[in-house]
Amino acid sequence: MSFEKLGLSKPLLKAIQEQGYTKPTPIQAQAIPVILERKDILAGAQTGTGKTAGFTLPLLELLSRKQPHKGKHQIKALILTPTRELAAQVGESVRLYGKHLPFKSTVIFGGVKINPQITQLRKGVDIIIATPGRLLDHMSQKTVDLRHVDFLILDEADRMLDMGFINDIKKVLAVMPKDKQTLLFSATYSNEIKKLSNTLLKSPTLIEVARQNTASESVSQAVYHVDKTRKRELLTHLINEGKWSQVLVFTRTKHGANRLTTQLDKDGITAVAIHGNKSQNARTKALADFKKGDVRVLVATDIAARGIDIDQLPHVVNYELPNVSEDYVHRIGRTGRAGNKGEAISLVCVDEHEYLQNIEKLIKKDIPKVWLKGFKPDPSIKAEPIKQGGGGRGRGGNSRNKPRNKPSGNSSRNSSGRNKNR
Ligand code: AMP
């Protein structure tokens, strides 16, 4: 299968070639022809499968097949994403793939000034990529007009529901035309997703590439058993011994992310943290520095890391296991993407054995265990309950998988129940 055979026109084929893609990924091969037939789709695809190009390419193709562009820009496509980082990344993909086409796009998310976004919208755009919260702000200020939207794409819809965006999504839907084409992407098929797709999609074509909740084959996984108090030392050892130049490390809490970053710096390993208490600018800069290779370690909480796309990220470390097992699959999905090999290492102390069992049950396999010489756990240390709270996730909503954190206090939520600080 080649991109030419999928029915994409020259300006897109040129952009694809410039990206160095030689053939479509499975999700692209399946989704692109169906989307070009103007059908709704429900696609089960995780990040790392090439799903962004899977919807962006046919979207741009369909837009360019419509009436010739007469210099007037009207919002024809809306892409909704759960997080700011994902919105920025999808925005970047739209810009890259559409660089030889005349369409304008803009990214709309909170945490940054609204006025530059209003200016962009006034100038006229064809495609917007938005998080639901800020989009609603624009709707209430009447600075965005969604009455001509032909294409709606919900990216990582399961996360949007998890994060309590369902009412926001409904408000956005209410102002759009009924006869648009809708594409729904979700990593999991929960009952909530089924309900949403029933109300949203018209006879959708189902597309699924990787089985739900299976970890990618290209990621080698290992569990290192270690005492809690020695995790930092072990991490430093692994980074130094392996001469790792780029590693994404997950902690459960924002506080834990900050603390680890400081400790790694003291060990002479450059590190930066990314989490919901950081300003959007700080998060963008942290990610850029990490991508450039200026810092070796990016320490992240789950929400902040969601959707982060770093080409050929070789190492992911779970400094602490997530209490929501599905997050393990999402976390290790940051590596081994688009055919590259990756390594995911989890540092597990005695308190986390139950989390580990839940994860292995979910992925239906045993993760190889390592007891590294010099770091073997002290058998006299007994398990203690893991303290929750601290706002590592701070997302509201339903219960998909037990046990999970309680939403952390109310400091990061506004009166509409929407999370402000991810
Ligand atoms: P996504 O699942 O959309 O987050 O994409 C994951 C990664 O795959 C991104 O870094 C893309 O640039 C890359 N990618 C997307 N399509 C292809 C392709 N056909 N060939 C090689 N890499 C691709």
mmCIF file with all atom_site columns, all heavy atoms in Angstrom, residues 16 20 24 39 47-48 69 73 81 113 150 175 183 192 198 220 256 259 261 299 301 340 345 371-372 385 393:
data_model
loop_
_atom_site.group_PDB
_atom_site.id
_atom_site.type_symbol
_atom_site.label_atom_id
_atom_site.label_alt_id
_atom_site.label_comp_id
_atom_site.label_asym_id
_atom_site.label_entity_id
_atom_site.label_seq_id
_atom_site.pdbx_PDB_ins_code
_atom_site.Cartn_x
_atom_site.Cartn_y
_atom_site.Cartn_z
_atom_site.occupancy
_atom_site.B_iso_or_equiv
_atom_site.pdbx_formal_charge
_atom_site.auth_seq_id
_atom_site.auth_comp_id
_atom_site.auth_asym_id
_atom_site.auth_atom_id
_atom_site.pdbx_PDB_model_num
ATOM 1   N N   . ILE A 1 16  ? 4.039   14.659  2.639  1.00 0.00 ? 16  ILE A N   1
ATOM 2   C CA  . ILE A 1 16  ? 4.314   13.340  3.235  1.00 0.00 ? 16  ILE A CA  1
ATOM 3   C C   . ILE A 1 16  ? 5.752   12.930  2.940  1.00 0.00 ? 16  ILE A C   1
ATOM 4   O O   . ILE A 1 16  ? 6.480   12.452  3.813  1.00 0.00 ? 16  ILE A O   1
ATOM 5   C CB  . ILE A 1 16  ? 3.323   12.281  2.670  1.00 0.00 ? 16  ILE A CB  1
ATOM 6   C CG1 . ILE A 1 16  ? 1.915   12.547  3.182  1.00 0.00 ? 16  ILE A CG1 1
ATOM 7   C CG2 . ILE A 1 16  ? 3.771   10.863  3.026  1.00 0.00 ? 16  ILE A CG2 1
ATOM 8   C CD1 . ILE A 1 16  ? 0.834   11.783  2.445  1.00 0.00 ? 16  ILE A CD1 1
ATOM 9   N N   . GLY A 1 20  ? 9.347   12.252  5.230  1.00 0.00 ? 20  GLY A N   1
ATOM 10  C CA  . GLY A 1 20  ? 10.121  11.017  5.163  1.00 0.00 ? 20  GLY A CA  1
ATOM 11  C C   . GLY A 1 20  ? 9.287   9.759   5.356  1.00 0.00 ? 20  GLY A C   1
ATOM 12  O O   . GLY A 1 20  ? 9.827   8.672   5.569  1.00 0.00 ? 20  GLY A O   1
ATOM 13  N N   . PRO A 1 24  ? 1.978   4.157   4.367  1.00 0.00 ? 24  PRO A N   1
ATOM 14  C CA  . PRO A 1 24  ? 1.010   4.462   5.427  1.00 0.00 ? 24  PRO A CA  1
ATOM 15  C C   . PRO A 1 24  ? 1.103   3.456   6.573  1.00 0.00 ? 24  PRO A C   1
ATOM 16  O O   . PRO A 1 24  ? 1.391   2.278   6.335  1.00 0.00 ? 24  PRO A O   1
ATOM 17  C CB  . PRO A 1 24  ? -0.346  4.338   4.734  1.00 0.00 ? 24  PRO A CB  1
ATOM 18  C CG  . PRO A 1 24  ? -0.088  4.136   3.297  1.00 0.00 ? 24  PRO A CG  1
ATOM 19  C CD  . PRO A 1 24  ? 1.332   3.763   3.108  1.00 0.00 ? 24  PRO A CD  1
ATOM 20  N N   . LYS A 1 39  ? -17.482 9.106   5.183  1.00 0.00 ? 39  LYS A N   1
ATOM 21  C CA  . LYS A 1 39  ? -18.190 8.335   6.218  1.00 0.00 ? 39  LYS A CA  1
ATOM 22  C C   . LYS A 1 39  ? -17.698 8.734   7.605  1.00 0.00 ? 39  LYS A C   1
ATOM 23  O O   . LYS A 1 39  ? -16.533 9.103   7.779  1.00 0.00 ? 39  LYS A O   1
ATOM 24  C CB  . LYS A 1 39  ? -17.918 6.848   6.012  1.00 0.00 ? 39  LYS A CB  1
ATOM 25  C CG  . LYS A 1 39  ? -18.583 6.302   4.782  1.00 0.00 ? 39  LYS A CG  1
ATOM 26  C CD  . LYS A 1 39  ? -18.654 4.789   4.883  1.00 0.00 ? 39  LYS A CD  1
ATOM 27  C CE  . LYS A 1 39  ? -19.354 4.210   3.696  1.00 0.00 ? 39  LYS A CE  1
ATOM 28  N NZ  . LYS A 1 39  ? -18.570 3.213   2.993  1.00 0.00 ? 39  LYS A NZ  1
ATOM 29  N N   . THR A 1 47  ? -2.011  6.607   20.660 1.00 0.00 ? 47  THR A N   1
ATOM 30  C CA  . THR A 1 47  ? -0.959  7.477   20.126 1.00 0.00 ? 47  THR A CA  1
ATOM 31  C C   . THR A 1 47  ? 0.225   6.609   19.741 1.00 0.00 ? 47  THR A C   1
ATOM 32  O O   . THR A 1 47  ? 0.465   5.566   20.344 1.00 0.00 ? 47  THR A O   1
ATOM 33  C CB  . THR A 1 47  ? -0.464  8.514   21.168 1.00 0.00 ? 47  THR A CB  1
ATOM 34  O OG1 . THR A 1 47  ? -0.452  7.889   22.420 1.00 0.00 ? 47  THR A OG1 1
ATOM 35  C CG2 . THR A 1 47  ? -1.323  9.730   21.189 1.00 0.00 ? 47  THR A CG2 1
ATOM 36  N N   . GLY A 1 48  ? 0.939   7.045   18.736 1.00 0.00 ? 48  GLY A N   1
ATOM 37  C CA  . GLY A 1 48  ? 2.082   6.264   18.283 1.00 0.00 ? 48  GLY A CA  1
ATOM 38  C C   . GLY A 1 48  ? 1.750   5.412   17.078 1.00 0.00 ? 48  GLY A C   1
ATOM 39  O O   . GLY A 1 48  ? 2.621   4.809   16.469 1.00 0.00 ? 48  GLY A O   1
ATOM 40  N N   . HIS A 1 69  ? -10.760 27.654  -3.445 1.00 0.00 ? 69  HIS A N   1
ATOM 41  C CA  . HIS A 1 69  ? -10.602 28.621  -2.383 1.00 0.00 ? 69  HIS A CA  1
ATOM 42  C C   . HIS A 1 69  ? -10.639 30.032  -2.940 1.00 0.00 ? 69  HIS A C   1
ATOM 43  O O   . HIS A 1 69  ? -9.925  30.350  -3.852 1.00 0.00 ? 69  HIS A O   1
ATOM 44  C CB  . HIS A 1 69  ? -9.234  28.346  -1.753 1.00 0.00 ? 69  HIS A CB  1
ATOM 45  C CG  . HIS A 1 69  ? -9.221  28.711  -0.346 1.00 0.00 ? 69  HIS A CG  1
ATOM 46  N ND1 . HIS A 1 69  ? -8.773  29.916  0.083  1.00 0.00 ? 69  HIS A ND1 1
ATOM 47  C CD2 . HIS A 1 69  ? -9.634  28.045  0.747  1.00 0.00 ? 69  HIS A CD2 1
ATOM 48  C CE1 . HIS A 1 69  ? -8.890  29.958  1.381  1.00 0.00 ? 69  HIS A CE1 1
ATOM 49  N NE2 . HIS A 1 69  ? -9.407  28.834  1.815  1.00 0.00 ? 69  HIS A NE2 1
ATOM 50  N N   . HIS A 1 73  ? -11.826 32.759  4.365  1.00 0.00 ? 73  HIS A N   1
ATOM 51  C CA  . HIS A 1 73  ? -11.615 31.653  5.294  1.00 0.00 ? 73  HIS A CA  1
ATOM 52  C C   . HIS A 1 73  ? -12.806 31.543  6.246  1.00 0.00 ? 73  HIS A C   1
ATOM 53  O O   . HIS A 1 73  ? -13.228 32.514  6.829  1.00 0.00 ? 73  HIS A O   1
ATOM 54  C CB  . HIS A 1 73  ? -10.332 31.872  6.094  1.00 0.00 ? 73  HIS A CB  1
ATOM 55  C CG  . HIS A 1 73  ? -9.113  31.942  5.234  1.00 0.00 ? 73  HIS A CG  1
ATOM 56  N ND1 . HIS A 1 73  ? -8.496  30.814  4.750  1.00 0.00 ? 73  HIS A ND1 1
ATOM 57  C CD2 . HIS A 1 73  ? -8.428  32.994  4.747  1.00 0.00 ? 73  HIS A CD2 1
ATOM 58  C CE1 . HIS A 1 73  ? -7.457  31.189  4.012  1.00 0.00 ? 73  HIS A CE1 1
ATOM 59  N NE2 . HIS A 1 73  ? -7.398  32.493  3.992  1.00 0.00 ? 73  HIS A NE2 1
ATOM 60  N N   . THR A 1 81  ? -9.284  18.249  21.259 1.00 0.00 ? 81  THR A N   1
ATOM 61  C CA  . THR A 1 81  ? -8.343  17.374  21.961 1.00 0.00 ? 81  THR A CA  1
ATOM 62  C C   . THR A 1 81  ? -8.481  17.603  23.468 1.00 0.00 ? 81  THR A C   1
ATOM 63  O O   . THR A 1 81  ? -8.914  18.675  23.889 1.00 0.00 ? 81  THR A O   1
ATOM 64  C CB  . THR A 1 81  ? -6.879  17.677  21.580 1.00 0.00 ? 81  THR A CB  1
ATOM 65  O OG1 . THR A 1 81  ? -6.499  18.922  22.176 1.00 0.00 ? 81  THR A OG1 1
ATOM 66  C CG2 . THR A 1 81  ? -6.658  17.770  20.087 1.00 0.00 ? 81  THR A CG2 1
ATOM 67  N N   . LYS A 1 113 ? -2.829  33.864  26.825 1.00 0.00 ? 113 LYS A N   1
ATOM 68  C CA  . LYS A 1 113 ? -3.726  35.011  26.580 1.00 0.00 ? 113 LYS A CA  1
ATOM 69  C C   . LYS A 1 113 ? -4.735  34.696  25.482 1.00 0.00 ? 113 LYS A C   1
ATOM 70  O O   . LYS A 1 113 ? -4.400  34.042  24.497 1.00 0.00 ? 113 LYS A O   1
ATOM 71  C CB  . LYS A 1 113 ? -2.903  36.234  26.181 1.00 0.00 ? 113 LYS A CB  1
ATOM 72  C CG  . LYS A 1 113 ? -2.121  36.813  27.330 1.00 0.00 ? 113 LYS A CG  1
ATOM 73  C CD  . LYS A 1 113 ? -1.633  38.212  26.941 1.00 0.00 ? 113 LYS A CD  1
ATOM 74  C CE  . LYS A 1 113 ? -0.731  38.746  28.020 1.00 0.00 ? 113 LYS A CE  1
ATOM 75  N NZ  . LYS A 1 113 ? 0.646   38.927  27.575 1.00 0.00 ? 113 LYS A NZ  1
ATOM 76  N N   . ASP A 1 150 ? -17.878 21.484  8.656  1.00 0.00 ? 150 ASP A N   1
ATOM 77  C CA  . ASP A 1 150 ? -18.223 20.279  7.891  1.00 0.00 ? 150 ASP A CA  1
ATOM 78  C C   . ASP A 1 150 ? -17.594 19.030  8.498  1.00 0.00 ? 150 ASP A C   1
ATOM 79  O O   . ASP A 1 150 ? -18.014 17.920  8.216  1.00 0.00 ? 150 ASP A O   1
ATOM 80  C CB  . ASP A 1 150 ? -17.685 20.390  6.452  1.00 0.00 ? 150 ASP A CB  1
ATOM 81  C CG  . ASP A 1 150 ? -18.567 21.256  5.595  1.00 0.00 ? 150 ASP A CG  1
ATOM 82  O OD1 . ASP A 1 150 ? -19.771 21.348  5.899  1.00 0.00 ? 150 ASP A OD1 1
ATOM 83  O OD2 . ASP A 1 150 ? -18.041 21.848  4.632  1.00 0.00 ? 150 ASP A OD2 1
ATOM 84  N N   . VAL A 1 175 ? -23.930 23.990  18.615 1.00 0.00 ? 175 VAL A N   1
ATOM 85  C CA  . VAL A 1 175 ? -23.886 25.136  17.687 1.00 0.00 ? 175 VAL A CA  1
ATOM 86  C C   . VAL A 1 175 ? -23.385 24.754  16.291 1.00 0.00 ? 175 VAL A C   1
ATOM 87  O O   . VAL A 1 175 ? -23.253 25.600  15.423 1.00 0.00 ? 175 VAL A O   1
ATOM 88  C CB  . VAL A 1 175 ? -22.996 26.277  18.238 1.00 0.00 ? 175 VAL A CB  1
ATOM 89  C CG1 . VAL A 1 175 ? -23.516 26.763  19.585 1.00 0.00 ? 175 VAL A CG1 1
ATOM 90  C CG2 . VAL A 1 175 ? -21.529 25.843  18.369 1.00 0.00 ? 175 VAL A CG2 1
ATOM 91  N N   . LEU A 1 183 ? -15.465 12.214  13.095 1.00 0.00 ? 183 LEU A N   1
ATOM 92  C CA  . LEU A 1 183 ? -14.470 11.148  13.279 1.00 0.00 ? 183 LEU A CA  1
ATOM 93  C C   . LEU A 1 183 ? -14.122 11.097  14.759 1.00 0.00 ? 183 LEU A C   1
ATOM 94  O O   . LEU A 1 183 ? -13.744 12.101  15.354 1.00 0.00 ? 183 LEU A O   1
ATOM 95  C CB  . LEU A 1 183 ? -13.201 11.463  12.477 1.00 0.00 ? 183 LEU A CB  1
ATOM 96  C CG  . LEU A 1 183 ? -13.398 11.983  11.052 1.00 0.00 ? 183 LEU A CG  1
ATOM 97  C CD1 . LEU A 1 183 ? -12.058 12.377  10.434 1.00 0.00 ? 183 LEU A CD1 1
ATOM 98  C CD2 . LEU A 1 183 ? -14.089 10.931  10.194 1.00 0.00 ? 183 LEU A CD2 1
ATOM 99  N N   . GLU A 1 192 ? -19.015 4.562   28.081 1.00 0.00 ? 192 GLU A N   1
ATOM 100 C CA  . GLU A 1 192 ? -19.230 6.003   27.845 1.00 0.00 ? 192 GLU A CA  1
ATOM 101 C C   . GLU A 1 192 ? -18.910 6.357   26.396 1.00 0.00 ? 192 GLU A C   1
ATOM 102 O O   . GLU A 1 192 ? -19.598 7.156   25.776 1.00 0.00 ? 192 GLU A O   1
ATOM 103 C CB  . GLU A 1 192 ? -18.333 6.854   28.763 1.00 0.00 ? 192 GLU A CB  1
ATOM 104 C CG  . GLU A 1 192 ? -18.791 6.925   30.197 1.00 0.00 ? 192 GLU A CG  1
ATOM 105 C CD  . GLU A 1 192 ? -18.285 5.755   31.015 1.00 0.00 ? 192 GLU A CD  1
ATOM 106 O OE1 . GLU A 1 192 ? -17.550 4.916   30.458 1.00 0.00 ? 192 GLU A OE1 1
ATOM 107 O OE2 . GLU A 1 192 ? -18.636 5.682   32.196 1.00 0.00 ? 192 GLU A OE2 1
ATOM 108 N N   . ASN A 1 198 ? -22.847 6.643   19.821 1.00 0.00 ? 198 ASN A N   1
ATOM 109 C CA  . ASN A 1 198 ? -24.226 6.450   19.381 1.00 0.00 ? 198 ASN A CA  1
ATOM 110 C C   . ASN A 1 198 ? -24.942 7.767   19.142 1.00 0.00 ? 198 ASN A C   1
ATOM 111 O O   . ASN A 1 198 ? -25.753 7.891   18.228 1.00 0.00 ? 198 ASN A O   1
ATOM 112 C CB  . ASN A 1 198 ? -25.022 5.653   20.421 1.00 0.00 ? 198 ASN A CB  1
ATOM 113 C CG  . ASN A 1 198 ? -24.641 4.189   20.385 1.00 0.00 ? 198 ASN A CG  1
ATOM 114 O OD1 . ASN A 1 198 ? -24.047 3.729   19.406 1.00 0.00 ? 198 ASN A OD1 1
ATOM 115 N ND2 . ASN A 1 198 ? -24.934 3.461   21.456 1.00 0.00 ? 198 ASN A ND2 1
ATOM 116 N N   . SER A 1 220 ? 10.223  -3.056  24.782 1.00 0.00 ? 220 SER A N   1
ATOM 117 C CA  . SER A 1 220 ? 10.621  -4.104  25.722 1.00 0.00 ? 220 SER A CA  1
ATOM 118 C C   . SER A 1 220 ? 10.377  -3.569  27.131 1.00 0.00 ? 220 SER A C   1
ATOM 119 O O   . SER A 1 220 ? 10.704  -2.422  27.451 1.00 0.00 ? 220 SER A O   1
ATOM 120 C CB  . SER A 1 220 ? 12.084  -4.483  25.515 1.00 0.00 ? 220 SER A CB  1
ATOM 121 O OG  . SER A 1 220 ? 12.919  -3.490  26.018 1.00 0.00 ? 220 SER A OG  1
ATOM 122 N N   . GLY A 1 256 ? 6.130   15.106  43.591 1.00 0.00 ? 256 GLY A N   1
ATOM 123 C CA  . GLY A 1 256 ? 7.153   14.078  43.346 1.00 0.00 ? 256 GLY A CA  1
ATOM 124 C C   . GLY A 1 256 ? 7.980   14.408  42.108 1.00 0.00 ? 256 GLY A C   1
ATOM 125 O O   . GLY A 1 256 ? 9.195   14.178  42.076 1.00 0.00 ? 256 GLY A O   1
ATOM 126 N N   . ARG A 1 259 ? 10.427  17.178  43.060 1.00 0.00 ? 259 ARG A N   1
ATOM 127 C CA  . ARG A 1 259 ? 11.479  16.703  43.956 1.00 0.00 ? 259 ARG A CA  1
ATOM 128 C C   . ARG A 1 259 ? 12.512  15.893  43.185 1.00 0.00 ? 259 ARG A C   1
ATOM 129 O O   . ARG A 1 259 ? 13.721  16.076  43.326 1.00 0.00 ? 259 ARG A O   1
ATOM 130 C CB  . ARG A 1 259 ? 10.849  15.866  45.070 1.00 0.00 ? 259 ARG A CB  1
ATOM 131 C CG  . ARG A 1 259 ? 11.733  15.737  46.296 1.00 0.00 ? 259 ARG A CG  1
ATOM 132 C CD  . ARG A 1 259 ? 10.999  15.060  47.411 1.00 0.00 ? 259 ARG A CD  1
ATOM 133 N NE  . ARG A 1 259 ? 10.181  13.972  46.875 1.00 0.00 ? 259 ARG A NE  1
ATOM 134 C CZ  . ARG A 1 259 ? 9.040   13.564  47.416 1.00 0.00 ? 259 ARG A CZ  1
ATOM 135 N NH1 . ARG A 1 259 ? 8.573   14.145  48.490 1.00 0.00 ? 259 ARG A NH1 1
ATOM 136 N NH2 . ARG A 1 259 ? 8.371   12.565  46.892 1.00 0.00 ? 259 ARG A NH2 1
ATOM 137 N N   . THR A 1 261 ? 13.211  16.016  40.008 1.00 0.00 ? 261 THR A N   1
ATOM 138 C CA  . THR A 1 261 ? 13.975  16.884  39.105 1.00 0.00 ? 261 THR A CA  1
ATOM 139 C C   . THR A 1 261 ? 15.151  17.527  39.852 1.00 0.00 ? 261 THR A C   1
ATOM 140 O O   . THR A 1 261 ? 16.284  17.527  39.367 1.00 0.00 ? 261 THR A O   1
ATOM 141 C CB  . THR A 1 261 ? 13.050  17.991  38.543 1.00 0.00 ? 261 THR A CB  1
ATOM 142 O OG1 . THR A 1 261 ? 11.917  17.350  37.999 1.00 0.00 ? 261 THR A OG1 1
ATOM 143 C CG2 . THR A 1 261 ? 13.724  18.795  37.466 1.00 0.00 ? 261 THR A CG2 1
ATOM 144 N N   . VAL A 1 299 ? 10.621  14.849  33.490 1.00 0.00 ? 299 VAL A N   1
ATOM 145 C CA  . VAL A 1 299 ? 9.839   14.182  34.535 1.00 0.00 ? 299 VAL A CA  1
ATOM 146 C C   . VAL A 1 299 ? 8.405   14.674  34.411 1.00 0.00 ? 299 VAL A C   1
ATOM 147 O O   . VAL A 1 299 ? 8.162   15.888  34.424 1.00 0.00 ? 299 VAL A O   1
ATOM 148 C CB  . VAL A 1 299 ? 10.395  14.506  35.941 1.00 0.00 ? 299 VAL A CB  1
ATOM 149 C CG1 . VAL A 1 299 ? 9.646   13.704  36.997 1.00 0.00 ? 299 VAL A CG1 1
ATOM 150 C CG2 . VAL A 1 299 ? 11.890  14.208  36.016 1.00 0.00 ? 299 VAL A CG2 1
ATOM 151 N N   . THR A 1 301 ? 3.929   14.077  35.012 1.00 0.00 ? 301 THR A N   1
ATOM 152 C CA  . THR A 1 301 ? 2.766   13.380  35.554 1.00 0.00 ? 301 THR A CA  1
ATOM 153 C C   . THR A 1 301 ? 1.922   12.904  34.361 1.00 0.00 ? 301 THR A C   1
ATOM 154 O O   . THR A 1 301 ? 2.134   13.361  33.242 1.00 0.00 ? 301 THR A O   1
ATOM 155 C CB  . THR A 1 301 ? 1.922   14.326  36.436 1.00 0.00 ? 301 THR A CB  1
ATOM 156 O OG1 . THR A 1 301 ? 1.583   15.470  35.664 1.00 0.00 ? 301 THR A OG1 1
ATOM 157 C CG2 . THR A 1 301 ? 2.693   14.745  37.680 1.00 0.00 ? 301 THR A CG2 1
ATOM 158 N N   . ASN A 1 340 ? 9.870   2.194   15.726 1.00 0.00 ? 340 ASN A N   1
ATOM 159 C CA  . ASN A 1 340 ? 11.159  2.220   16.427 1.00 0.00 ? 340 ASN A CA  1
ATOM 160 C C   . ASN A 1 340 ? 11.104  1.350   17.679 1.00 0.00 ? 340 ASN A C   1
ATOM 161 O O   . ASN A 1 340 ? 10.051  1.145   18.256 1.00 0.00 ? 340 ASN A O   1
ATOM 162 C CB  . ASN A 1 340 ? 11.503  3.652   16.843 1.00 0.00 ? 340 ASN A CB  1
ATOM 163 C CG  . ASN A 1 340 ? 11.755  4.519   15.641 1.00 0.00 ? 340 ASN A CG  1
ATOM 164 O OD1 . ASN A 1 340 ? 12.582  4.182   14.808 1.00 0.00 ? 340 ASN A OD1 1
ATOM 165 N ND2 . ASN A 1 340 ? 11.017  5.603   15.525 1.00 0.00 ? 340 ASN A ND2 1
ATOM 166 N N   . ILE A 1 345 ? 10.950  0.846   31.564 1.00 0.00 ? 345 ILE A N   1
ATOM 167 C CA  . ILE A 1 345 ? 11.401  0.255   32.824 1.00 0.00 ? 345 ILE A CA  1
ATOM 168 C C   . ILE A 1 345 ? 10.553  0.804   33.964 1.00 0.00 ? 345 ILE A C   1
ATOM 169 O O   . ILE A 1 345 ? 10.308  2.013   34.035 1.00 0.00 ? 345 ILE A O   1
ATOM 170 C CB  . ILE A 1 345 ? 12.901  0.589   33.044 1.00 0.00 ? 345 ILE A CB  1
ATOM 171 C CG1 . ILE A 1 345 ? 13.733  -0.265  32.080 1.00 0.00 ? 345 ILE A CG1 1
ATOM 172 C CG2 . ILE A 1 345 ? 13.323  0.349   34.486 1.00 0.00 ? 345 ILE A CG2 1
ATOM 173 C CD1 . ILE A 1 345 ? 15.220  -0.042  32.177 1.00 0.00 ? 345 ILE A CD1 1
ATOM 174 N N   . TRP A 1 371 ? 16.239  -8.038  39.533 1.00 0.00 ? 371 TRP A N   1
ATOM 175 C CA  . TRP A 1 371 ? 16.726  -7.652  40.865 1.00 0.00 ? 371 TRP A CA  1
ATOM 176 C C   . TRP A 1 371 ? 18.187  -7.280  40.656 1.00 0.00 ? 371 TRP A C   1
ATOM 177 O O   . TRP A 1 371 ? 19.050  -8.163  40.543 1.00 0.00 ? 371 TRP A O   1
ATOM 178 C CB  . TRP A 1 371 ? 16.595  -8.810  41.853 1.00 0.00 ? 371 TRP A CB  1
ATOM 179 C CG  . TRP A 1 371 ? 15.186  -9.053  42.310 1.00 0.00 ? 371 TRP A CG  1
ATOM 180 C CD1 . TRP A 1 371 ? 14.599  -8.558  43.432 1.00 0.00 ? 371 TRP A CD1 1
ATOM 181 C CD2 . TRP A 1 371 ? 14.190  -9.872  41.680 1.00 0.00 ? 371 TRP A CD2 1
ATOM 182 N NE1 . TRP A 1 371 ? 13.298  -8.988  43.533 1.00 0.00 ? 371 TRP A NE1 1
ATOM 183 C CE2 . TRP A 1 371 ? 13.013  -9.801  42.474 1.00 0.00 ? 371 TRP A CE2 1
ATOM 184 C CE3 . TRP A 1 371 ? 14.144  -10.637 40.501 1.00 0.00 ? 371 TRP A CE3 1
ATOM 185 C CZ2 . TRP A 1 371 ? 11.845  -10.481 42.144 1.00 0.00 ? 371 TRP A CZ2 1
ATOM 186 C CZ3 . TRP A 1 371 ? 12.977  -11.306 40.180 1.00 0.00 ? 371 TRP A CZ3 1
ATOM 187 C CH2 . TRP A 1 371 ? 11.857  -11.223 40.993 1.00 0.00 ? 371 TRP A CH2 1
ATOM 188 N N   . LEU A 1 372 ? 18.478  -6.013  40.549 1.00 0.00 ? 372 LEU A N   1
ATOM 189 C CA  . LEU A 1 372 ? 19.828  -5.593  40.196 1.00 0.00 ? 372 LEU A CA  1
ATOM 190 C C   . LEU A 1 372 ? 20.748  -5.673  41.410 1.00 0.00 ? 372 LEU A C   1
ATOM 191 O O   . LEU A 1 372 ? 20.385  -5.228  42.498 1.00 0.00 ? 372 LEU A O   1
ATOM 192 C CB  . LEU A 1 372 ? 19.778  -4.153  39.664 1.00 0.00 ? 372 LEU A CB  1
ATOM 193 C CG  . LEU A 1 372 ? 20.984  -3.689  38.864 1.00 0.00 ? 372 LEU A CG  1
ATOM 194 C CD1 . LEU A 1 372 ? 21.109  -4.458  37.550 1.00 0.00 ? 372 LEU A CD1 1
ATOM 195 C CD2 . LEU A 1 372 ? 20.858  -2.187  38.563 1.00 0.00 ? 372 LEU A CD2 1
ATOM 196 N N   . PRO A 1 385 ? 0.443   1.445   52.808 1.00 0.00 ? 385 PRO A N   1
ATOM 197 C CA  . PRO A 1 385 ? -0.508  1.984   51.823 1.00 0.00 ? 385 PRO A CA  1
ATOM 198 C C   . PRO A 1 385 ? 0.071   3.213   51.117 1.00 0.00 ? 385 PRO A C   1
ATOM 199 O O   . PRO A 1 385 ? 0.785   3.998   51.750 1.00 0.00 ? 385 PRO A O   1
ATOM 200 C CB  . PRO A 1 385 ? -1.728  2.389   52.667 1.00 0.00 ? 385 PRO A CB  1
ATOM 201 C CG  . PRO A 1 385 ? -1.426  1.992   54.057 1.00 0.00 ? 385 PRO A CG  1
ATOM 202 C CD  . PRO A 1 385 ? -0.020  1.522   54.176 1.00 0.00 ? 385 PRO A CD  1
ATOM 203 N N   . ARG A 1 393 ? -3.187  13.895  39.195 1.00 0.00 ? 393 ARG A N   1
ATOM 204 C CA  . ARG A 1 393 ? -4.020  13.860  38.005 1.00 0.00 ? 393 ARG A CA  1
ATOM 205 C C   . ARG A 1 393 ? -5.063  14.947  38.037 1.00 0.00 ? 393 ARG A C   1
ATOM 206 O O   . ARG A 1 393 ? -5.279  15.621  37.060 1.00 0.00 ? 393 ARG A O   1
ATOM 207 C CB  . ARG A 1 393 ? -4.712  12.528  37.901 1.00 0.00 ? 393 ARG A CB  1
ATOM 208 C CG  . ARG A 1 393 ? -3.720  11.433  38.084 1.00 0.00 ? 393 ARG A CG  1
ATOM 209 C CD  . ARG A 1 393 ? -4.212  10.189  37.493 1.00 0.00 ? 393 ARG A CD  1
ATOM 210 N NE  . ARG A 1 393 ? -4.952  10.406  36.281 1.00 0.00 ? 393 ARG A NE  1
ATOM 211 C CZ  . ARG A 1 393 ? -4.753  9.683   35.241 1.00 0.00 ? 393 ARG A CZ  1
ATOM 212 N NH1 . ARG A 1 393 ? -3.835  8.801   35.217 1.00 0.00 ? 393 ARG A NH1 1
ATOM 213 N NH2 . ARG A 1 393 ? -5.493  9.868   34.178 1.00 0.00 ? 393 ARG A NH2 1
#
